[in-house]
Amino acid sequence: MTENTTSAEDKFTANVSLRRNDAQHRYELLVDGKLAVQAFFHDLPGHIDFTHTETGEDFEGQGLGKVLAHFALDDVVATGKRIIPHCPFISSYLRKHEGYEQFVDWPER
């Protein structure tokens, strides 16, 4: 499990932690120990395929999904794998943020 308590986009005062949970096949963002956002993936040979992202009702509209996306994508790049963004949220994040272009294999529509 990869874990980090900071992110370049971490701009709030709450106790936020980020981690990769391989047993559940998801990246997680926790606020004060409570699961707030999760990005699900399939770990494939050479790729991480993001399937969907969920934000808890109490945590919507706070920008937490962006923090988790940044952490998850940086983690994939650090492992040397490529990104497949089937998840609409992750796909949207990638289209709006530079620096990941050479690591993405866009799925066919």
Side-chain angles (χ1 to χ4, degrees):
M1 181 179 327
T2 303
E3 188 163 356
N4 189 351
T5 57
T6 61
S7 169
E9 294 189 22
D10 186 358
K11 299 195 182 359
F12 15 77
T13 57
N15 181 16
V16 173
S17 60
L18 297 143
R19 64 185 179 201
R20 176 178 164 152
N21 182 335
D22 287 320
Q24 297 291 319
H25 305 284
R26 66 187 184 198
Y27 284 91
E28 302 171 336
L29 183 146
L30 295 92
V31 176
D32 294 324
K34 184 175 181 184
L35 184 60
V37 186
Q38 48 193 333
F40 294 89
F41 64 86
H42 294 296
D43 193 348
L44 306 172
H47 289 85
I48 295 293
D49 184 354
F50 288 94
T51 57
H52 69 284
T53 300
E54 296 176 2
T55 300
E57 197 172 297
D58 294 343
F59 301 100
E60 292 176 352
Q62 299 177 36
L64 297 171
K66 293 179 198 174
V67 174
L68 183 60
H70 179 83
F71 172 75
L73 295 170
D74 282 357
D75 185 66
V76 172
V77 170
T79 66
K81 291 195 171 194
R82 297 186 58 79
I83 300 160
I84 302 174
H86 279 107
C87 168
F89 181 80
I90 296 293
S91 177
S92 175
Y93 183 91
L94 286 166
R95 292 183 195 284
K96 293 176 185 173
H97 295 83
E98 295 181 6
Y100 297 104
E101 299 85 3
Q102 68 271 27
F103 305 106
V104 178
D105 290 330
W106 292 99
E108 294 185 24
R109 296 179 182 200

